[in-house]
Amino acid sequence: MAALRRKFGEDYQVVNTNRATTFAAPVKKKRQRFVDKNGRCNVQHGNLGGESSRYLSDLFTTLVDLKWRWNLLIFTLTYTIAWLFMASMWWTIAYIRGDIHHGHGHDPSYTPCVANVYNFPSAFLFFIETEATIGYGYRYITEKCPEGIILFLFQSLMGSIVDAFLIGCMFIKMSQPKKRAETLMFSQDAVISQRDGKLCLMFRVGNLRNSHMVSAQIRCKLIKSRQTPEGEFLPLDQCELDVGFGTGADQLFLVSPLTICHEINPKSPFFDLSQRSLINEQFEIVVILEGIVETTGMTCQARTSYTEDEVLWGHRFLPVMSLEEGFFRVDYSQFHSTFEVPTPPYSVKEHEEKNALPSPLTTPTHTLNESHGARRDRVFSVDCINTSEDRRGGAVGRLPSKLQRMSSSGKDDLQRKVLRLSSQHSEKACSTGDLPLKLQRLSSSQGPEMANRLELKALKVGFEPMTQSTGDLYEPSLTPTLSPAPVPVYSPLLSAGRRPEDNLPAKLRRMNADR
């Protein structure tokens, strides 16, 4: 380095071109888990106060729950203390009766309580021989010692109780199915991908032993802190995840590895979870697998958990089953392996909201009948025609020549007569039941009054098609081929110089001629 600096100058610096170290992403701080991957719960109980005495009320369970090192220590100390205590009791009896002094003199006429017990080691050996039922025959109780007989009965009872308690505790602890849970496997990661067209959260479980788990059942809990609408904060709130409780999919036949599936739907707590929001979420999924061990008949429970960092979006598990000659083979080397699959990055909630929006291509269309009925329902009058003429400016040029002459010559007179006729409540003249009688009365009466009335009647009969035709002409047509046929126009202006009967329709004229 010094030679390079002398050659290139003091400003020479070595630049690290290793991209892995230069652009390495910051390591995310490991979050405290509620349940470890091996199933151990990270919960400690403190400040129990006077409640600690409850552990002594269930001493057997307390001893079984202790760790092995404490169990072995208690086992050894209990037997050692019991043996020393009972040996001291036998030495005390021998000391009180004077067996220790006469034992050293070897007086053949003296009968001791326990033969050949003249010090504490000999008393201890006598107790061990009696408790273990060894019986070497050198030390024994004589019939001259009633207190020794009573102590022997007490020793037998207490020895049986201690043996039953400690040996039973050790046996239960050794036969616990916790070690059976060591052969039940869970995948290291959980995945989110589509299955049967639905977004699902999946993980894998497996059994390494050939012995089955009877009545195996799986459950999932979501551990996540939340705040209620009332403002209450719930730390580590537990929520159930449906893994097929309603369909029976949670009951497992765990012979080969199975993939457990949780469908993300509106009832799921992951309804609004997307690939982007998964990065900022903080939750933990606790998986509990329960079953009966086939060989022992004891209930076994295996647990694990998945944090948000262990949930892979857009992945799927590799298959591990293969068909061999005469059997199926499970390759556990691919048990934790996954591969990427195309998966929508948005949540199920966003997907449903997107599908609920109407498509811009589907616009309401009006049929010819609807447009024709809408035009028919409109009320046309001369005022509407004037307003329409003023607004559109040039629509009159579209009218036929006959209607243009009518609108230019007698528009004022026509408007006045139409308003006067509209105020009267009368029937239409096209009623074929009343017209013959009216024509009979008209034919029998003479004079200018009757002529004027007849003109008004003719106006009422013939003006309605004219106004409707004028309104239809102002309405923009849908297609050029569907334009309405021309309608005959009846007007008093065109009927000048003719008889009033000529303004009637041909059918009515024939009926009037027959009369």
Side-chain angles (χ1 to χ4, degrees):
M1 180 64 66
L4 291 175
R5 286 186 177 179
R6 285 195 301 268
K7 182 177 181 180
F8 296 101
E10 295 295 331
D11 295 335
Y12 176 80
Q13 294 181 356
V14 177
V15 179
N16 189 1
T17 59
N18 190 354
R19 294 177 179 264
T21 56
T22 305
F23 301 100
V27 179
K28 188 176 180 180
K29 185 179 179 181
K30 188 176 181 180
R31 187 170 61 86
Q32 181 64 43
R33 308 177 71 102
F34 186 71
V35 178
D36 288 338
K37 297 295 287 185
N38 58 2
R40 187 178 65 87
C41 299
N42 293 322
V43 178
Q44 294 184 0
H45 304 281
N47 297 327
L48 296 177
E51 303 297 331
S52 301
S53 59
R54 295 176 179 266
Y55 289 103
L56 298 178
S57 61
D58 189 11
L59 184 60
F60 183 80
T61 306
T62 303
L63 293 176
V64 172
D65 289 340
L66 291 176
K67 295 182 179 181
W68 271 106
R69 54 179 176 268
W70 298 111
N71 272 276
L72 293 175
L73 179 62
I74 292 174
F75 186 86
T76 305
L77 289 177
T78 302
Y79 274 106
T80 302
I81 293 173
W83 293 344
L84 293 176
F85 174 75
M86 295 305 300
S88 63
M89 293 294 295
W90 288 109
W91 180 84
T92 303
I93 292 176
Y95 180 79
I96 293 174
R97 289 178 57 88
D99 296 343
I100 295 176
H101 301 286
H102 290 85
H104 290 284
H106 299 285
D107 188 1
S109 62
Y110 179 75
T111 304
C113 180
V114 179
N116 300 318
V117 173
Y118 45 85
N119 54 17
F120 185 79
S122 61
F124 183 79
L125 290 175
F126 171 74
F127 167 76
I128 294 297
E129 293 175 9
T130 306
E131 181 66 22
T133 64
I134 296 175
Y136 292 112
Y138 184 72
R139 297 178 181 89
Y140 55 91
I141 302 176
T142 61
E143 67 277 5
K144 301 294 182 178
C145 182
E147 61 271 19
I149 299 174
I150 296 175
L151 182 61
F152 175 76
L153 296 176
F154 177 76
Q155 172 186 334
S156 300
L157 292 176
M158 291 301 297
S160 300
I161 292 175
V162 172
D163 290 341
F165 189 82
L166 292 180
I167 296 176
C169 178
M170 296 296 291
F171 174 77
I172 293 297
K173 191 168 183 64
M174 286 187 296
S175 62
Q176 271 187 330
K178 289 183 178 181
K179 294 302 179 182
R180 177 65 177 89
E182 299 292 335
T183 55
L184 296 175
M185 292 182 61
F186 296 91
S187 58
Q188 292 291 337
D189 301 315
V191 298
I192 294 180
S193 61
Q194 285 187 331
R195 172 179 283 189
D196 297 330
K198 299 176 182 178
L199 197 65
C200 299
L201 170 71
M202 294 174 285
F203 57 92
R204 181 180 278 175
V205 296
N207 182 16
L208 297 179
R209 290 186 179 274
N210 292 327
S211 60
H212 305 307
M213 292 289 295
V214 182
S215 301
Q217 184 179 10
I218 195 162
R219 296 183 292 118
C220 292
K221 292 285 186 179
L222 176 65
I223 310 297
K224 183 179 180 181
S225 302
R226 68 181 183 91
Q227 188 171 7
T228 62
E230 295 79 12
E232 180 184 5
F233 180 73
L234 301 178
L236 303 178
D237 183 47
Q238 299 184 12
C239 178
E240 188 76 19
L241 292 181
D242 186 12
V243 289
F245 178 77
T247 60
D250 59 332
Q251 304 291 332
L252 307 180
F253 182 55
L254 199 57
V255 178
S256 61
L258 299 177
T259 301
I260 310 302
C261 178
H262 165 68
E263 179 184 345
I264 301 178
N265 51 26
K267 296 182 180 179
S268 172
F270 298 128
F271 181 55
D272 55 351
L273 181 67
S274 63
Q275 185 177 8
R276 178 174 296 180
S277 62
L278 180 62
I279 303 174
N280 302 323
E281 286 286 342
Q282 286 190 358
F283 60 85
E284 186 172 350
I285 302 172
V286 179
V287 182
I288 304 171
L289 176 61
E290 294 178 336
I292 300 175
V293 181
E294 188 180 28
T295 54
T296 61
M298 303 182 69
T299 303
C300 173
Q301 184 181 94
R303 295 181 297 267
T304 190
S305 67
Y306 301 99
T307 59
E308 67 278 358
D309 298 333
E310 298 169 345
V311 178
L312 306 179
W313 189 282
H315 283 247
R316 188 179 297 167
F317 289 105
L318 283 173
V320 294
M321 292 286 295
S322 61
L323 179 60
E324 303 290 341
E325 294 183 1
F327 61 94
F328 293 93
R329 180 181 178 84
V330 180
D331 184 12
Y332 279 99
S333 63
Q334 303 294 332
F335 184 82
H336 305 286
S337 301
T338 62
F339 63 98
E340 294 187 4
V341 292
T343 304
Y346 44 82
S347 63
V348 179
K349 181 179 180 181
E350 295 173 351
H351 179 68
E352 292 187 356
E353 291 176 353
K354 182 179 179 181
N355 292 338
L357 294 177
S359 177
L361 300 178
T362 58
T363 55
T365 58
H366 297 283
T367 61
L368 180 61
N369 295 331
E370 293 177 352
S371 61
H372 183 66
R375 292 198 303 270
R376 184 182 299 173
D377 294 338
R378 291 186 57 184
V379 179
F380 297 100
S381 64
V382 180
D383 293 334
C384 295
I385 296 173
N386 295 336
T387 307
S388 179
E389 288 176 357
D390 297 337
R391 183 171 59 250
R392 300 194 180 187
V396 181
R398 303 175 187 175
L399 298 176
S401 59
K402 186 181 290 185
L403 292 179
Q404 291 180 12
R405 289 195 300 269
M406 287 173 56
S407 60
S408 62
S409 61
K411 183 170 35 177
D412 296 336
D413 187 26
L414 183 61
Q415 180 179 0
R416 186 166 53 255
K417 291 182 179 182
V418 171
L419 291 176
R420 184 173 61 185
L421 288 174
S422 63
S423 63
Q424 297 177 0
H425 180 70
S426 60
E427 299 177 351
K428 290 186 177 181
C430 57
S431 177
T432 58
D434 295 338
L435 283 176
L437 298 177
K438 293 183 180 181
L439 291 177
Q440 185 178 2
R441 289 196 298 271
L442 289 173
S443 61
S444 62
S445 60
Q446 301 292 334
E449 279 186 292
M450 300 306 295
N452 293 335
R453 289 174 62 185
L454 186 58
E455 290 177 359
L456 293 176
K457 290 290 184 178
L459 175 64
K460 191 171 183 179
V461 173
F463 186 73
E464 184 178 355
M466 180 195 70
T467 55
Q468 290 182 359
S469 300
T470 307
D472 292 341
L473 289 171
Y474 283 135
E475 193 74 12
S477 60
L478 294 177
T479 57
T481 59
L482 297 177
S483 59
V487 181
V489 179
Y490 299 94
S491 174
L493 300 176
L494 299 176
S495 62
R498 299 169 58 183
R499 293 185 302 171
E501 292 83 354
D502 296 338
N503 296 328
L504 298 176
K507 186 176 181 180
L508 296 180
R509 288 200 301 271
R510 286 196 299 270
M511 292 174 63
N512 190 21
D514 293 339
R515 286 183 177 274

